Amino acid sequence: MFRTALRNVLAHKARLLMTTLAVLLGVAFVAGTLVFTATLSEAFQRSSEEGLTHVDLAIQPDEDSEAAESTPGGARNLDQELLDDVAALPGVASAIGEVTGFAALADREGDLVGDGFATNGANYTAGSDGTPEDERYPMAEGRAPERAGEIALDATTAERTGYGVGDTARVSVNGPVREETVTGVFTTDDGNVAAGGTLVLFDTATAQELFTAPGAYTRITVTAEEGASQEELRAAAAPLLPDDAEALTGERLAQEQADTIEATTSGMRTALLAFAGIALFVGVFIIANTFTMLVAQRTRELALLRAVGASRRQVTRSVLIEALAVGVVAGATGLAAGIGIAAGLRSLMNAMDITVPDGPLVVSGSAVGASLGVGVVVTVLAAYLPARRAAKIPPVAAMNSVHAPATSRGLLVRNSIGALFAAGGAALTVAGIGSDDKGATMGAGAGLLVIGVFILTPLLSRPVIAATRPLLAVFGVSGKLARLNAVRNPRRTAATASALMIGLTLITGMTVIADSMSKAIERMASESLRSDYLVSMANFGPLSTEVEQILAERPEVTVITGLRTSPALIADDPDARILTGADPAAFQELTDLDFEHGSFEGFGGTGVLMDETTADDFGLAPGDTFTTTFEDGASQELTVSGVFSGNQLFTGVVLDSATLDPHMERVQSFEVLLKTEGGASEATKSALEGVLGDNPAVLVQDKEDVSEDIAHVFTLLLNMLYALLAMAVIVAVLGVVNTLAMSVFERKQEIGMLRAIGLDRRATKRMVRLESIVIALFGGVLGVGLGLFFGWAVGELISDYLTTYDTVLPWARIMIFLGIAGLVGVMAALWPARRAARLNMLEAIKAE
């Protein structure tokens, strides 16, 4: 039986090749994902470890400590006294106070260098052992910065921008442009730089002025003397630490950074593996169809094996051995293709200026095992039902027919189960709209309904395909035959259409959600804001009050306010809430809040506005007072003036910035709202950008710009999804090819008779093509329908959190999706149609 199975594998190379390709694509995606993410993780981890070679002990603020959690402002920065005490400990060779923060660098054309979020600034400092050099940043050219107005650049950034020693570079930390002289170029193993970011060094005093406060550090790193262990240093430093600080050994710090890198790459890995799973799931239908076809071709052969003594188990085993051989080949070739995909992705990232640290491709044992395991398991499981069905065919019945007809009993059971799932899913979904646990109920209902429709696909194929009758009638006999052929074997048609249905369900659902979200956020911005412009940092970090002052002096600016944010404790609640500070008069004119109770009257001084959720949490209403503890620990009584419907722009407590500012450690805004004379225009926008020094780190946006940014994010996400889901569509094409090839084989004698009575080659090709298009459009219609339902169901959940959300149906794109389904049918029919048309009619008529 083993030899028989292997001979059968080699006897049907063409059809098994399509199955192998279907599995190969999914396996390649799995292997490529595992190799690519492992390579990224290993490269960044190695780079991170190299950057920590000088660190034996790191002391840093501990945001998880009880002291930090009980203080609205969180953990404090470290001070000079602690640095001096740590440097004096026995076993300490050197102790360095580090200061880090955001520092955006503009290139010679004025564009932001790096990705905006990895553009960092830090301090260059001499060691406590008296050495004048900072061992973290050895200078390759020039000297270190020594005073305000001087900076040093990492070598990678200097090469990328063309800056050299003596050049003037434009830097922005929190808004205003700083003209800095480049005094040196240094080398570094910093992981952010290796990933395409930038690192700008200032002298320590300037870095503290920009990022912390005089004498304050964000971290202290310690290098041990020879013979001193990291644990000994940590134990010696522990008594010196404030309650909101922690000491980590260099090994522990490296491990934490490795864990962070692993967590970052695991999200990417999970998303990519999900799409690989979709491709493999779609491939299951193709594998099942292929083995059904192979079993049909070998019905007499299997019957003879049964007649000469082979058991049902042996027949089943022979088919599964074929599947095992296909799975091994597909797994091995998929692994090789996946390694190539991983190498291509890394090259693509580098070509897109998303720098990846140098290093070899990491092909782990888990990637090899997963690739081979997935290929074998998926193939064998998909082939099990055809194998079992083949073993059940009685030998006498098998010898009297080319293939065993499908029984109606199986379809009846399938339809009954599908109807129960679909009805239960629809009922749960409708019931979930008004339930307390909306997410779980509607999610379960949507899932059951999708499964029900999936099971009912053979039943649905007849009425849906029958609806194409008027269109197919245009093509005469070819059209009629195509329609009848498409419903001849509903199981097979359903399996083929389901492969395409899955991909289009996801694509349509994601498109509906993305379009609806984009419109909802656009509506929220237009309904909540009456300002002409929003000014913020490119990384959405803190914005200097100097920006607000510069803009307020412009003659075209009529109303302006900066929006501050600060953590605070309200009443006896131990969890910190966010306070938003604004100028009361300007805020009233620049926003359009929807008040549930109260109004702007009384807003200012100790009078505050509060969103409805926060008010309900504390049982507050207009006129009520409550105690607030600010980030500096001071407390004050505040009075609620109005309660408004919260949204993603304004939540929590809004109060007078004059009340909030004295309690902030660093008075900064996260955004500036302003109105200009004559409204928004390109000339006004250019003038505002010019007065801010044409700073690439600062965004000056009108409502249209905000909407375009939001749309761009969703468009980028959708394009990525379309590219990833294209694999499922490619696999679906192979499925249609397989089905048509099977159909041509089963109707070989019939096609010969049709040719003999006058159906020419062109009409034969047209018949097969139309059948392919009908099957593909059937899958497309089901996919679009389920996708719309999926988008609506998810939208009902989103609307609880985004009040402006309404389901938007992108009809133009839906028509494109159906057009793609039709194109899939056309492409898939090329080879089967050509094969059917080239059949020798006499040999086909004689075929048994």
Side-chain angles (χ1 to χ4, degrees), residues 166-415:
D167 289 339
T168 300
R170 299 166 67 241
V171 179
S172 177
V173 172
N174 57 1
V177 172
R178 301 172 59 91
E179 300 282 345
E180 308 281 359
T181 301
V182 179
T183 62
V185 176
F186 62 92
T187 59
T188 178
D189 295 316
D190 187 282
N192 284 325
V193 173
T198 63
L199 182 59
V200 179
L201 296 184
F202 303 88
D203 65 283
T204 298
T206 302
Q208 289 175 333
E209 178 186 345
L210 295 174
F211 304 130
T212 56
Y217 300 94
T218 53
R219 187 167 71 173
I220 295 173
T221 56
V222 179
T223 303
E225 291 180 344
E226 188 173 352
S229 72
Q230 294 184 354
E231 282 298 332
E232 288 173 349
L233 279 181
R234 189 182 68 80
L240 304 176
L241 302 182
D243 295 336
D244 57 354
E246 62 178 345
L248 302 175
T249 62
E251 293 176 356
R252 173 72 182 278
L253 186 63
Q255 184 58 50
E256 285 195 355
Q257 293 204 9
D259 292 342
T260 300
I261 293 169
E262 173 62 25
T264 302
T265 55
S266 68
M268 180 192 303
R269 180 167 58 247
T270 301
L272 293 175
L273 285 176
F275 289 103
I278 293 168
L280 286 169
F281 184 61
V282 171
V284 166
F285 299 105
I286 299 174
I287 299 165
N289 265 357
T290 299
F291 278 93
T292 299
M293 177 173 61
L294 295 177
V295 168
Q297 290 177 327
R298 293 165 44 209
T299 302
R300 285 196 169 189
E301 175 191 328
L302 295 175
L304 284 172
L305 289 173
R306 291 287 312 282
V308 297
S311 65
R312 287 186 175 184
R313 184 174 296 177
Q314 286 178 311
V315 171
T316 302
R317 192 182 303 140
S318 71
V319 178
L320 293 180
I321 289 172
E322 293 181 49
L324 177 65
V326 172
V328 170
V329 172
T333 52
L335 174 61
I339 294 172
I341 289 173
L345 284 174
R346 188 167 69 169
S347 299
L348 179 63
M349 290 183 72
N350 287 329
M352 296 171 63
D353 290 332
I354 305 175
T355 307
V356 179
D358 292 332
L361 283 174
V362 179
V363 184
S364 63
S366 61
V368 175
S371 302
L372 293 176
V374 166
V376 170
V377 171
V378 168
T379 309
V380 171
L381 287 179
Y384 175 72
L385 285 179
R388 189 166 174 268
R389 198 178 300 129
K392 285 185 174 182
I393 300 175
V396 175
M399 289 180 184
N400 290 333
S401 61
V402 176
H403 63 280
T407 63
S408 58
R409 182 175 177 274
L411 279 176
L412 180 62
V413 172
R414 176 172 179 160
N415 293 339

Side-chain angles (χ1 to χ4, degrees), residues 500-546:
L500 187 60
M501 178 188 77
I502 293 167
L504 284 180
T505 296
L506 292 170
I507 290 173
T508 304
M510 293 295 183
T511 302
V512 170
I513 294 168
D515 279 17
S516 301
M517 281 289 293
S518 182
K519 295 292 184 184
I521 296 175
E522 183 179 339
R523 273 184 57 199
M524 181 179 64
S526 62
E527 292 176 4
S528 300
L529 294 176
R530 290 190 290 183
S531 62
D532 293 325
Y533 292 99
L534 295 84
V535 182
S536 63
M537 291 294 291
N539 70 331
F540 304 105
L543 191 66
S544 170
T545 55
E546 188 179 341

Side-chain angles (χ1 to χ4, degrees), residues 396-453:
V396 175
M399 289 180 184
N400 290 333
S401 61
V402 176
H403 63 280
T407 63
S408 58
R409 182 175 177 274
L411 279 176
L412 180 62
V413 172
R414 176 172 179 160
N415 293 339
S416 301
I417 295 173
L420 286 174
F421 272 86
L428 270 178
T429 304
V430 174
I433 295 176
S435 68
D436 294 333
D437 194 1
K438 196 176 193 179
T441 306
M442 291 189 68
L448 285 175
L449 183 56
V450 169
I451 293 171
V453 171

Side-chain angles (χ1 to χ4, degrees), residues 121-194:
N123 66 314
Y124 185 97
T125 182
S128 60
D129 57 355
T131 56
E133 293 84 15
D134 189 332
E135 62 180 355
R136 301 172 298 167
Y137 310 117
M139 286 291 155
E141 299 177 36
R143 61 171 176 82
E146 298 174 349
R147 60 186 64 86
E150 295 181 348
I151 60 170
L153 300 178
D154 67 87
T156 303
T157 299
E159 182 179 357
R160 189 173 8 167
T161 59
Y163 286 133
V165 175
D167 289 339
T168 300
R170 299 166 67 241
V171 179
S172 177
V173 172
N174 57 1
V177 172
R178 301 172 59 91
E179 300 282 345
E180 308 281 359
T181 301
V182 179
T183 62
V185 176
F186 62 92
T187 59
T188 178
D189 295 316
D190 187 282
N192 284 325
V193 173

